[in-house]
Amino acid sequence: MKSKINLRSAAIGVFIAAIVGSTMQPATAGQYEFRKAVPGSGKGITIGLIGLDDAIGFGKDVHDSIEREAKKAGAKLIFCDSKLDAAKALNCAKTFKLKKVQGYLNFQPVASASASICKAGPKVPVIAIDIEQDPCQKAFMGADNSFAGEVTGKALGNYFKKTFNCQFDSFISLEDYGVGVVNAARMGGYRTGFESVCGKIGDKLIQIDAGRLEPALAKMKDALTTLPNAKKIAVVAINDEGIQGAFAAAKAIGRDGDIYAGSQGAAASAHCDIAKNKNWIGATAYFPERYGEIGVPYLLDLIKGKQVPFQLKIKHVAVNADNVFKLFPASKAKCA
Amino acid sequence: MEKLRSKKVPQNSEEGAKRQRKIPDSAPLIAVLILMIMYFSFASEYFLQVENFRNILANAAVTGIVCIPSTFLIIAGHIDLSVGSAAAVSGMILAQVVNAHGIVIGLLAVLLFGLAFGCFNGVIVTMIGVNSLITTLGGLGFLYGVALLIGNGQTVGMNDFEWLGTAQPVGIPLPVVIFAGLALLGAITLRYTKFGRSIYAIGSNPNAARVVGIRSNRIIFQTFVLSAVASALAGAVLTSQLSAGSPNSGLGLELQVVTAIVLGGASLAGGRGSIFGTVLGLLIVGVLNNGLILMDVPTFWQRIAQGLMLIIAVSFDSIRAKLNNTRA
Amino acid sequence: MSTSTELIRLEGVKKSYNGVEVLHGVDLSVNAGEVVALLGENGAGKSTLVKILAGDISPTQGKIKVNGVEYAGLDVYGARDLGIRMIFQELNDAPSLTVAENIFLGQWPTTGGKIAWKELRDKAQEVLDRLEVHIPLDAEAGSLRVGERQLLEIARALIQNAKILVLDEPSAALSNIEVERLFNVMSQLKSQGVGMVYITHRLDEVSRVADQVQVLRDGNSVLTKDAKDVTRQDMVTAMLGHEASGNVRPVVSKPKKVVLEIDNLSDGHIFKDISLNVKEGEVVTLFGKIGSGTSEILESIFGLRQIVSGEIKISGEIFTPESPEDSTSRKIGFLPADRQRLGSFASRSVAENLSVSSWNKMAKFGFVKKETEEKAFGRWAEALSISARRGPSQEIATLSGGNQQKVLLGRWFEAQVNVLLLVEPTRGVDVGARRDIYNIIRQQAKESGVAVLIATSDYEEVVLIADRALVISRGEISAEFTDDHVHASNLIAASS
C-alpha cells in the first residue's frame, strides 16, 4: 500500500533527525573512549537490546555493533525490534522479563513511554541509548549534539582562518526546526565552534529550514541567487543529507566552488562525497557501528555490580577527506 | 445441481448429515493455530507460560478492538483504512486533555472525536458517494498530519491514567476484557440482529439489498461511526498502556486489522466473514509474532515469515472453498 | 442429412458426484451440419452432459468419440483443440472493447508484437459477413443489444475454428427479432457443416431450428427422435414423465376494490401515458416484446427509475416512489428480471433470502431468530415446492434457477405485500417449476388479495396466468384483453 510507505518514510525522516540525543543532557567534560569487549567477560550472561528499527541504517548499525561485541564477550544477546513503535517496545520488555535477561540496552524512540516500558520489563540494569529511559536507566550512552557541532564548527573555522584569514561572505545554516532541541544543540554547536576560531558571525548568519535532501536542494539555489558575488560561503547542515543537497544545488548553477561545508553524521552514504569533495571540510562522526564498544562492556559492568558513570558519551571526531578512509576503511573500496 | 425435484421439505436428520460432510469455514484456521502453538511450544521454552499468553492477548486486544467494526465494514463490502491514524489522533487528544482536565473529560473528548470522525467518513461515503477505500485512505493521511500537529511532531506524556491499559482484573488485562466483550457483542449483532444480517445482505448484493428494502446507507453510516469510535477507544487503550500519546503509535494498524479479518475468512468483495474468524485470524497473527520474537528470529526474517504466513493461510481457505464446491 | 459425417459420439456416459450418480449412461450423437436440440427440466443432467463435452468435467464412465477417434476423457484445452466451443447465456465479452476486438478477444493477430489492425478488421468483417450479421466493427460491445453480443460470441468461436457449437439457452434473454437472427446465423452455420447442440426451454423453437431432438430426464436419455417426427406433447410428456395439461385459461376473478392505480405515467423516453389499475386479488399482465417498456414501467412504480409525469395511487392514496426502501415500506414487492444482480444474496442461505424483506416484522428488539426464518422457509418451500437438498441453511447460489426464483417470490409472499410487481417471473425457469410458480401466484392473489402486476414477453405466460392482459407496444398501451380474448394470436398482433 503505497501511501503507507510514504507515511512511514515521513515518520522515519522525523526520527532519523531526532534519534541522536533527542533528550539533551547537560554536556559534561567526559568523552568515553570506545573499549572493545573483553572475551569471556560475558560468559553465562544474557543481555537484551530493544532496537530502534532495523529498517533504518543507523538503528541497524547500532544493533550490529552490539551483537558483534556481545558475541566477543561471550554473552547471549536477545534482540527485539521496536520498529519505531513504543507499543512493540513494551512487548519487547515483557518478553525480556519472560526470558529473564540480566540487563538490557534500550533504544526505543518514545521517551515519554519509557516509564511504562520500565515497569513492564524485568528489574535489571538498563542502559539507555540516545533516548532517555526513565526511571530505570542506570546509564545513558549516546551522542552529545552540541559538542558534535562544535567539533565541525571548529574545523570549518580553522579552514577559513588558514585559507581566507577568517574572511567569509555568509554563514548559511540548513536547519530542521521539526526536531526542536536537537536542532538548537547541533546548529548552536557549529556557531560556537566557528566563532571560537574566527570571531562573531553576527548578521552574516542565514538560517534556512531545509535539513533534508530535497528541501536543501531547492532552497540552497535560492539562497545562492541572493548572494551573487559571494565566493567564500560557509554552509553547515543538521546532517550529511543537507550538505549533499546544498552541493547539488550549487553545482547545478556552477557555484560549487563558492561554498565550504560542514555536517554531522559522517554516515556511510556520505563517505565518498567527503573523500572527493575538497570543499566538504568536515563531518562529525557518530560511529553507530561502534556503539557496541560502549554499550556492551558497561552493561556487563553494571550486571556484575560495578560502578559506572551515568553519562557515557560517544567520542566525536571530525571526518574529512584525509581521515575518512582511515576511520572507515570499509568505505574505500566502495568509493573507488 | 439438484437431482430430483421433491415435494417435501428436507428432513432435519438428512440436513444434519449433509452439514457434517461440509468442512467448516474455520477448520483450516483452527488447524493452523493449533499447529503453530504446538510448534512454538517445542521451539521455545518460554512459549507455554501463562505470562506469555497474557502478553499475546494483551497485544492482540488493541488491534482486536478495531477489528470488530472493521469486520462489519468488510462484510458490507467497505473498508476503513483510517483506523490507525484515528487511533493516533485519539491518543494524542487523550494525553493532552487528561493532563489538562483529567480522565473523565479526556475520555469524553476521545469519544467525541470518534463520533465526529465516523460521521465525517459516513457522510463522504454514503451521501457524497465516494468509494470508501479512497475516503479512508485520505483520512489515513490527513489524520496522521493532525496527530503530528497536536504534539508538534513529538510524543506527549500522560499522567496517572494507566489503569485502562494495564489493570488486570482477575489476572486478565483490562484491554483483553474489553476486546472479549466487544467481540461477543459483535458476534451476536452480526449473527442474530436485523442490523447484522443486513450487513451481510448489503455486502452480498448491494443492489438487491435496496430492492428488498434494506436502508443500506443508514447502516453503512452507522458502521463507519462504530469503526471510528472503536479506533478512538483503541488509541486510548494504547496511550494508557504507554502512558504517552505518540503520533506514530497507530502506524500500520489498518494493515494488521485487514490482515486479521481476511485471514479469518472474510472476503474483500463483501458478503462473507465472521467475528469468530476474525478472532482466529487475530490470534494466528499474534501467536506468530510472539513466537518469532521468542525464537529470536532476525527481524527481516520475521517480516518474511509474516508475509508468507498470510499467503499460506489464505491459500488454505481457498483450497477449503474448492473442496466444498466439488462436494456440493 | 443422414449421410453426413458424425462429429461427436458419446456412449454410455455416466457421472457421479460423491457416489451419487447424476448421469446414468447417456448417448449423444452430433453430425456435421446438424442441430441437436437438448431438452430437459433443470437438474435433468443437461449441464453435466455438455460440461463433459466441453472438457470441464470428466465422465465417471463411458466413451467419447470425436471425428471417430476415441478419447478417454477431454480436458478444456483438448476440447478446444478439437473445435468444441460453448456459447453461454451469460456473456463473456469485454464491453469496453470494439466489436472487431471482441471477435478476436485474447487472440489478436500480431505483426512483430504489434496488433495487426488491418488483418483483424478484415477477418472480423469476413466472419460477420459469413454469418450475414451487420454490426459496425468499431461499435463498443457494451453498446450493443444482448442478442448482438451473443452473435459476437458465435463469431469468436468461428474465428477459432469451431466445428461443434454448444449453445446453452442462448434465446432466454433475447427478443423475438433477435431470436430470428440467431436462427438465421444457425442455419448459415449448418450449411457450413458446423454441428450444434442447442439447449432450450422454449419448445416452439425446436421445430424451427433442430434436426434431432433429445430429451433428458433424471440423468437418463428418455427420447431421441427426428425433429420432424416429434410433437410438442411428446416433448412435454418426455420431460415431465407424465402428460401435462394444455394452455388452459385460469378461472378469472372479478374483484371490485382497486389497490394499484396508475394515471398517465411517463418517464420521458421509454414509456408514456400509461394508465392502468390492478384490483385486490387480481393478476394483470403487461405483455410486450423485449424493449417495449414493460419492465421499465414496473421499475418506475417501484422507485428504481425516475418518472417525469403521472400519478400513482396505492389503495387510493397518492404514492410518489422515491426509492425502493420507500416502496417496500408501503408494502410493494418487486421481483426483478435480473436475479443475480437485483434479486438474490448469493452467499446467504435460502431461509435468509426468503425472510429478508420480513425482518422488520420478524424482529424483536432488533433480533431475528433463525427458527423464525426457517419456519417461514418451511412454509413457502412446501407451498412453492422449493427443493433445497441441504435445507433452510443451503446457500441460494447452489440452487437451480427455478428454485432460486421460487425463493425470491416467496420472499414477497412472506412479507405480505399488497402490491406485487413481477418482471419476467419465469425467464430461465423450466417447465415444471413454471407451472408451480403460476399456481402459487394465482393462489396467493386469491387468498391474500395481493394485487399482482406482471411484465412479460412470453405470451404463453400471459395466457396461463392473467385475469386481464394489457399489451404494450413502443412504450404505450396498445390493447387490453379479458376472458377468452387473452390468447396468443391477439397478444402477438397487438404487440407488433
Side-chain angles (χ1 to χ4, degrees), chain C residues 277-302:
Chain C
N277 66 62
V278 186
K279 302 186 187 72
E280 195 178 70
E282 193 182 29
V283 179
V284 175
T285 58
L286 283 179
F287 172 73
K289 292 180 291 190
I290 286 178
S292 63
T294 53
S295 54
E296 286 82 359
I297 294 169
L298 266 59
E299 285 168 11
S300 297
I301 299 172
F302 191 61

Side-chain angles (χ1 to χ4, degrees), chain C residues 454-471:
Chain C
I454 300 175
T456 181
S457 57
D458 180 347
Y459 53 81
E460 280 189 17
E461 184 157 289
V462 178
V463 175
L464 285 169
I465 197 170
D467 287 319
R468 260 188 310 135
L470 298 167
V471 182

Side-chain angles (χ1 to χ4, degrees), chain B:
Chain B
M1 203 172 299
E2 85 254 61
K3 194 174 133 253
L4 276 167
R5 287 174 356 90
S6 142
K7 290 277 175 196
K8 273 190 190 156
V9 181
Q11 298 296 303
N12 276 336
S13 57
E14 182 196 333
E15 179 200 321
K18 295 282 184 202
R19 272 184 185 166
Q20 273 177 359
R21 279 227 307 253
K22 195 175 165 185
I23 308 169
D25 294 0
S26 49
L29 294 177
I30 294 173
V32 166
L33 187 59
I34 290 174
L35 282 176
M36 269 176 23
I37 289 175
M38 280 165 59
Y39 175 75
F40 286 131
S41 301
F42 283 113
S44 170
E45 57 188 301
Y46 308 104
F47 185 79
L48 264 189
Q49 293 183 13
V50 178
E51 184 68 34
N52 189 46
F53 278 91
R54 203 178 281 149
N55 289 350
I56 293 174
L57 291 176
N59 283 331
V62 172
T63 315
I65 288 168
V66 180
C67 274
I68 304 305
S70 271
T71 303
F72 286 25
L73 276 175
I74 284 181
I75 292 172
H78 288 259
I79 198 164
D80 187 352
L81 294 180
S82 63
V83 291
S85 293
V89 169
S90 92
M92 298 301 287
I93 292 175
L94 186 74
Q96 297 275 24
V97 179
V98 166
N99 288 346
H101 304 287
I103 295 169
V104 177
I105 297 182
L107 285 176
L108 277 176
V110 163
L111 178 69
L112 204 67
F113 161 73
L115 287 172
F117 182 62
C119 290
F120 172 80
N121 276 340
V123 166
I124 304 280
V125 173
T126 65
M127 296 186 193
I128 301 179
V130 180
N131 173 297
S132 63
L133 186 105
I134 301 299
T135 305
T136 58
L137 198 58
L140 167 82
F142 94 71
L143 280 192
Y144 183 58
V146 171
L148 288 169
L149 209 62
I150 292 174
N152 196 18
Q154 310 290 320
T155 59
V156 177
M158 182 172 62
N159 309 322
D160 305 324
F161 183 30
E162 287 166 26
W163 57 263
L164 180 63
T166 56
Q168 295 205 359
V170 292
I172 303 166
L174 186 56
V176 177
V177 176
I178 294 173
F179 164 61
L182 285 179
L184 193 67
L185 211 63
I188 290 171
T189 304
L190 215 44
R191 246 196 142 114
Y192 300 110
T193 68
K194 213 175 76 184
F195 181 81
R197 308 276 211 93
S198 299
I199 282 174
Y200 279 108
I202 293 166
S204 174
N205 191 341
N207 295 314
R210 288 191 70 215
V211 168
V212 300
I214 291 172
R215 306 220 170 245
S216 308
N217 279 346
R218 185 189 294 177
I219 287 167
I220 297 300
F221 188 101
Q222 288 166 344
T223 314
F224 268 110
V225 173
L226 287 179
S227 177
V229 169
S231 304
L233 176 60
V237 170
L238 198 59
T239 303
S240 170
Q241 271 177 356
L242 299 170
S243 293
S246 159
N248 296 298
S249 62
L251 218 62
L253 183 64
E254 64 284 343
L255 276 194
Q256 293 168 30
V257 166
V258 174
T259 301
I261 295 171
V262 173
L263 202 53
S267 158
L268 284 177
R272 284 176 201 274
S274 70
I275 296 294
F276 182 59
T278 296
V279 171
L280 283 176
L282 205 58
L283 287 177
I284 287 175
V285 174
V287 166
L288 181 74
N289 290 347
N290 173 269
L292 292 174
I293 290 173
L294 289 186
M295 283 175 67
D296 294 326
V297 175
T299 59
F300 297 162
W301 283 103
Q302 285 184 26
R303 287 177 193 261
I304 291 171
Q306 284 154 359
L308 287 178
M309 179 68 221
L310 179 65
I311 294 170
I312 291 169
V314 175
S315 305
F316 264 141
D317 193 53
S318 295
I319 292 167
R320 175 200 55 81
K322 277 200 184 125
L323 282 178
N324 278 339
N325 276 345
T326 49
R327 280 164 179 232

Side-chain angles (χ1 to χ4, degrees), chain A residues 170-194:
Chain A
S170 280
F171 189 97
I172 296 177
S173 181
L174 300 174
E175 319 208 347
D176 188 344
Y177 298 124
V179 293
V181 285
V182 180
N183 186 62
R186 287 191 176 189
M187 307 320 281
Y190 282 130
R191 292 195 284 274
T192 311
F194 188 84

Side-chain angles (χ1 to χ4, degrees), chain C residues 39-40 44 49 55 134 167 201 222 226 274 355 370 401 421 482 486:
Chain C
L39 308 177
L49 190 63
H134 307 291
L167 300 118
H201 279 126
V222 290
D226 264 12
I274 302 292
S355 309
K370 247 201 168 101
L421 308 168
T482 52
V486 181

Side-chain angles (χ1 to χ4, degrees), chain C residues 38-39 87-91 146-147 150-151 154 166-183 186 197-206 208-209 290 424 426-429 434 457-458:
Chain C
L38 190 61
L39 308 177
I87 307 291
F88 294 103
Q89 199 179 326
E90 297 82 24
L91 298 165
V146 176
Q150 223 158 36
L151 296 179
I154 295 177
V166 180
L167 300 118
D168 192 356
E169 277 197 69
S171 61
L174 302 188
S175 67
N176 292 340
I177 297 171
E178 288 174 317
V179 171
E180 285 305 318
R181 241 165 128 177
L182 174 68
F183 289 170
M186 286 175 69
V197 177
Y198 185 81
I199 299 177
T200 185
H201 279 126
R202 295 189 178 175
L203 300 183
D204 52 331
E205 291 176 348
V206 171
R208 294 277 326 274
V209 75
I290 286 178
E424 304 286 356
T426 60
R427 175 185 289 177
V429 171
R434 201 175 280 213
S457 57
D458 180 347

